[in-house]
Amino acid sequence: MVCTLFIVAQSDSDGIGSELMIEFTRFLIRLYIVQVLVTVFVAIALYVAGGARFISGWLWGGGTICIYLILLAYRLKKCKNMTPRAAVKAVRWSLAGRLALVAFSTLMATLLVKDINYLAMIAGLLVWRPLSLWARYTMPTEAISSGKENRETGI
C-alpha cells in the first residue's frame, strides 16, 4: 500500500510532476503514515483502557480512510503525464468514486458487523481532517504555505 504512495513521489519533472505536485505527494505520504499510526495506536489504547466495544468501529473507519488515501495516490500516479488542468479535472472526477467507497464501506459495516459502534466508526472516518491540518502545518513548504494560487489549475 505504501509502495503506491512512494511511486507517486518519484514523478518526473515533465507533465504534472511540478514542484507543487511533488510537495502534495510528500504531504499525502506523510498523512497516510500518520493515519495508519494513529489508527493502530488508538485501537491499542482503546483495548488497554477497556473500550474494546469501540475497536471494531474505529478500525473500520480508519481503514476506510487509509484505502481512500491509497485511491487518491493511485489517481495521482495516473495523472503524472497529464497537463495540470487535465490532472485537476481527473482528480476531481475521481472524488465521486472515493466518496462512493466511504458510503459503501459504511453500508457494509452496517450489514456485516453486528456489534459495530457507529460513533467510533464516524470518528475513524473523520480523524483524517485534523491529521491533515497537523501534517500541513508541521510540514511547511514554499509552494503550499505561500498561499499562491496556480493560475493554470486554479489550486
Side-chain angles (χ1 to χ4, degrees), residues 147-155:
K148 295 180 182 175
E149 183 178 296
N150 185 329
R151 294 179 193 269
E152 192 172 339
T153 61
I155 58 172

Side-chain angles (χ1 to χ4, degrees), residues 76-150:
L76 288 176
K77 180 183 173 194
K78 288 181 77 173
C79 293
K80 182 174 129 179
N81 296 322
M82 293 181 180
T83 65
R85 186 176 298 272
V88 167
K89 187 176 179 180
V91 169
R92 285 183 181 157
W93 274 104
S94 71
L95 175 65
R98 294 189 311 272
L99 290 177
L101 164 78
V102 173
F104 181 73
S105 173
T106 304
L107 178 66
M108 287 296 103
T110 303
L111 297 175
L112 298 177
V113 183
K114 294 197 185 269
D115 293 327
I116 195 163
N117 186 296
Y118 296 106
L119 187 60
M121 183 178 67
I122 291 170
L125 286 170
L126 296 178
V127 76
W128 73 271
R129 189 60 186 152
L131 290 177
S132 69
L133 292 173
W134 173 82
R136 178 178 178 183
Y137 292 111
T138 59
M139 188 180 94
T141 58
E142 184 70 28
I144 293 175
S145 61
S146 69
K148 295 180 182 175
E149 183 178 296
N150 185 329

Side-chain angles (χ1 to χ4, degrees), residues 21-123:
M21 185 53 80
I22 291 169
E23 288 182 17
F24 179 68
T25 303
R26 288 181 186 150
F27 165 77
L28 189 62
I29 292 168
R30 186 173 185 180
L31 180 60
Y32 176 79
I33 292 169
V34 169
Q35 176 72 38
V36 169
L37 291 175
V38 166
T39 300
V40 170
F41 286 136
V42 169
I44 292 169
L46 285 171
Y47 180 76
V48 169
R53 66 182 184 275
F54 300 113
I55 292 175
S56 63
W58 176 259
L59 289 175
W60 195 284
T64 300
I65 292 303
C66 288
I67 294 169
Y68 179 97
L69 291 172
I70 289 170
L71 289 176
L72 178 58
Y74 180 71
R75 172 50 67 184
L76 288 176
K77 180 183 173 194
K78 288 181 77 173
C79 293
K80 182 174 129 179
N81 296 322
M82 293 181 180
T83 65
R85 186 176 298 272
V88 167
K89 187 176 179 180
V91 169
R92 285 183 181 157
W93 274 104
S94 71
L95 175 65
R98 294 189 311 272
L99 290 177
L101 164 78
V102 173
F104 181 73
S105 173
T106 304
L107 178 66
M108 287 296 103
T110 303
L111 297 175
L112 298 177
V113 183
K114 294 197 185 269
D115 293 327
I116 195 163
N117 186 296
Y118 296 106
L119 187 60
M121 183 178 67
I122 291 170

